[in-house]
Amino acid sequence: EGKRFRFRLLAADGQELFLSEAFDDPKAAGAAIKALQEAGLDGLASRQGGDVILSIDGAAIARFDAARHDAVAEALRTLEG
């Protein structure tokens, strides 16, 4: 079976905030990271129950508990800087 690629978003203290969905190649994972940096959390996020789903062009790239929203937003701001 071919390799799949994921990325993790970590808080400043090293806590994992989310693990992305699997991508077929590293360039697709990199493009998702770039989209997160450019659009920011609210540009890609939607709520579904108690979860936040990050999507690009209708495809989910990550999911995390809504209670982590502020921590995810902060971590993404540090990536933008």
Side-chain angles (χ1 to χ4, degrees):
E1 187 175 330
K3 286 188 176 183
R4 304 288 309 256
F5 300 87
R6 296 178 184 260
F7 62 90
R8 298 176 193 276
L9 182 68
L10 304 176
D13 65 2
Q15 176 188 13
E16 182 179 296
L17 299 173
F18 69 73
L19 175 65
S20 75
E21 299 294 329
F23 294 88
D24 290 331
D25 63 71
K27 288 182 181 181
I33 293 167
K34 184 175 180 178
L36 273 171
Q37 290 173 315
E38 291 176 354
L41 177 60
D42 293 329
L44 301 177
S46 62
R47 281 190 94 143
Q48 187 176 48
D51 290 337
V52 175
I53 300 171
L54 301 177
S55 301
I56 299 173
D57 297 328
I61 61 165
R63 176 187 303 257
F64 59 89
D65 188 298
R68 294 185 175 187
H69 181 277
D70 291 345
V72 170
E74 178 63 27
L76 288 174
R77 278 192 292 276
T78 64
L79 290 178
E80 294 168 4

